[in-house]
Amino acid sequence: MPSKRTDPSKAPSSVAGAGRAPLLVQFLKFGTVGVSNTLITFIVYGLLLKVFGVWYLAASAVGFVAGATNGFLLNRRWTFRGHVGDSLTPVRWAIVQTCGLGINEGLLYLFVHDARLDKLLAQVFATGVVTVTTFFANRAWTFRTQRPVAMVDTDL
């Protein structure tokens, strides 16, 4: 009797965890989105800083918001697409990004004033730290794929 071969690409997606990307794949997707965010951030930052003479911390904040908005839209649709969104997803994203902005501004200030780095190079270093930090915060909280487990009182 001939064996019946099945196409693995047509396997049912009901296998446990099939809809969840491994951590490394998600991080690489997040990094890819981050490249586009970084380009947007640096273009806005560079224009405001060098062309319009805006104070570097204000220019960085405006660029960060532009990149973060791009990041929310792309990460929601691609990196964390297995996430079942709710009305608080954008709020959680905004909180994580606001914390990321605070870390970015603090590091940028330290790198420019204390380490005496060039303002653009300082932004590169700050971006690296913020990327890793916000990835894990967004993965664990903003785009979590499971709802938190409610505590049930079994002593009833």
Side-chain angles (χ1 to χ4, degrees):
M1 178 168 221
S3 67
K4 189 174 185 181
R5 292 187 176 186
T6 58
D7 183 357
S9 68
K10 295 180 182 177
S13 61
S14 62
V15 177
R20 295 163 86 188
L23 179 65
L24 179 59
V25 172
Q26 269 189 337
F27 186 74
L28 291 174
K29 286 180 175 183
F30 189 83
T32 301
V33 170
V35 168
S36 69
N37 299 349
T38 301
L39 288 173
I40 291 169
T41 299
F42 275 91
I43 289 169
V44 171
Y45 178 67
L47 284 172
L48 292 175
L49 182 70
K50 301 293 185 182
V51 175
F52 296 103
V54 175
W55 183 47
Y56 75 101
L57 290 176
S60 175
V62 172
F64 191 95
V65 168
T69 301
N70 174 69
F72 175 75
L73 298 172
L74 291 178
N75 280 312
R76 183 175 172 190
R77 298 227 184 257
W78 185 50
T79 308
F80 302 107
R81 72 173 176 239
H83 165 71
V84 178
D86 59 24
S87 61
L88 293 178
T89 299
V91 174
R92 288 190 297 269
W93 175 267
I95 291 169
V96 169
Q97 293 310 111
T98 300
C99 292
L101 176 59
I103 293 167
N104 184 80
E105 293 289 292
L107 288 174
L108 185 59
Y109 181 84
L110 290 174
F111 291 154
V112 169
H113 286 278
D114 294 344
R116 304 277 187 224
L117 292 178
D118 174 76
K119 292 172 183 155
L120 290 174
L121 182 60
Q123 183 65 59
V124 170
F125 290 136
T127 298
V129 173
V130 172
T131 298
V132 173
T133 305
T134 58
F135 167 74
F136 285 106
N138 280 311
R139 184 175 197 276
W141 189 48
T142 306
F143 295 112
R144 66 180 179 253
T145 55
Q146 298 174 356
R147 295 208 180 272
V149 177
M151 298 299 292
V152 178
D153 188 5
T154 58
D155 293 333
L156 293 178

